Amino acid sequence: MDIDYKAIGQRIRKRRKMLNITQSILAERADLSDTNISHIERGATKLSLPSLIAIANALETNADSLLMDVVDNSEVEFKKEFAQLLDGCSAEEYRLLYNSCRTILETLRNK
């Protein structure tokens, strides 16, 4: 099994930015170095389980939300992300997205 550390790092960065905190603040809260946070967010280093837990706690989230790109059973997290993505769409955007998703699903299911 290949772990996509870059995808995990991108999720960490996204959550950090959503909370409007710097890498330094995250590092302090997670008891890690600024350099380590930078490497983790870029996917340049492998993330240890204790570091992942510390970061998840510092970001006030769960590990599932940070690992959803690499864990097969992340349906709940993807549904939450999808709902956030759709939040604030106009009626026209909903219609276009619905039609696009329907076409994609039909294609996927007919393979």
Side-chain angles (χ1 to χ4, degrees):
M1 169 178 72
D2 291 329
I3 297 175
D4 188 348
Y5 290 97
K6 190 171 183 176
I8 296 168
Q10 288 171 347
R11 290 226 169 265
I12 291 169
R13 178 182 292 122
K14 179 181 175 186
R15 177 67 181 168
R16 176 179 61 77
K17 288 187 174 198
M18 185 186 310
L19 294 174
N20 199 30
I21 62 173
T22 64
Q23 286 182 342
S24 294
I25 291 171
L26 175 56
E28 184 179 319
R29 289 180 183 176
D31 198 25
L32 299 169
S33 72
D34 293 9
T35 303
N36 198 4
I37 294 295
S38 174
H39 289 205
I40 289 168
E41 286 190 357
R42 288 185 288 116
T45 188
K46 292 184 177 182
L47 182 63
S48 71
L49 184 57
S51 293
L52 175 67
I53 293 167
I55 290 170
N57 287 334
L59 293 174
E60 301 170 358
T61 192
N62 57 52
D64 287 350
S65 67
L66 301 177
L67 296 173
M68 63 184 270
D69 292 314
V70 295
V71 175
D72 291 335
N73 297 316
S74 296
E75 183 179 341
V76 170
E77 291 303 320
F78 277 113
K79 284 181 178 180
K80 280 196 259 180
E81 287 281 320
F82 199 64
Q84 287 177 349
L85 184 67
L86 295 176
D87 190 37
C89 286
S90 68
E92 176 67 12
E93 289 171 328
Y94 274 119
R95 187 182 62 75
L96 290 170
L97 288 168
Y98 171 78
N99 289 333
S100 297
C101 287
R102 187 182 63 214
T103 301
I104 291 168
L105 283 172
E106 287 171 358
T107 302
L108 289 171
R109 291 175 179 164
N110 287 328
K111 281 188 174 186

